[in-house]
């Protein structure tokens, strides 16, 4: 889905999205348990992987703001700009 959104974005356009932090051990366990008992899966991702995905699709990550709770980073809010052609 994210790649499809990236493909439709115009040059110099902004894409704002968030994702759950796969580097958090607490979230990894929580999502593993969820995936074992539910009929739909949830996923986490690591910030370096998301940065790489953005770069490989022609975007520059301008901001990666952590979303924290109890001093744990649960997610990141990403602002990425598509490079001009």
């Amino acid at each position: 889905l994210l790649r499809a959104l990236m493909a439709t974005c115009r040059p110099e356009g902004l894409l704002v999205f968030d994702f759950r932090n796969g580097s958090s051990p607490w979230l990894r366990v929580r999502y593993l348990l969820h995936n074992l008992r539910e009929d739909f899966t949830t996923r986490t991702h690591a910030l370096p992987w998301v940065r790489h995905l953005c770069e490989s699709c022609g975007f520059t990550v301008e901001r990666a703001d952590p979303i924290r709770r109890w001093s744990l980073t649960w997610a990141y809010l990403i602002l990425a700009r598509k490079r001009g052609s």
Side-chain angles (χ1 to χ4, degrees):
L1 179 61
L2 186 55
R3 286 179 198 224
L5 291 171
M6 289 176 165
T8 62
C9 193
R10 294 181 178 165
E12 302 300 323
L14 290 175
L15 184 61
V16 179
F17 63 96
D18 73 343
F19 68 93
R20 300 301 170 261
N21 180 19
S23 298
S24 167
W26 192 87
L27 273 182
R28 282 198 310 260
V29 169
R30 182 176 177 203
Y31 280 22
L32 173 67
L33 294 175
H34 167 87
N35 291 340
L36 291 174
R37 70 176 181 264
E38 300 295 336
D39 59 353
F40 63 96
T41 59
T42 54
R43 295 185 134 185
T44 62
H45 302 288
L47 182 58
W49 182 86
V50 172
R51 285 185 184 276
H52 175 74
L53 174 66
C54 289
E55 290 292 327
S56 69
C57 291
F59 282 77
T60 301
V61 175
E62 293 185 355
R63 292 185 66 163
D65 296 335
I67 299 170
R68 292 190 171 106
R69 187 173 185 184
W70 304 306
S71 75
L72 295 172
T73 300
W74 293 63
Y76 285 94
L77 181 65
I78 302 294
L79 180 110
R81 184 178 301 275
K82 191 167 189 177
R83 292 188 289 270
S85 52

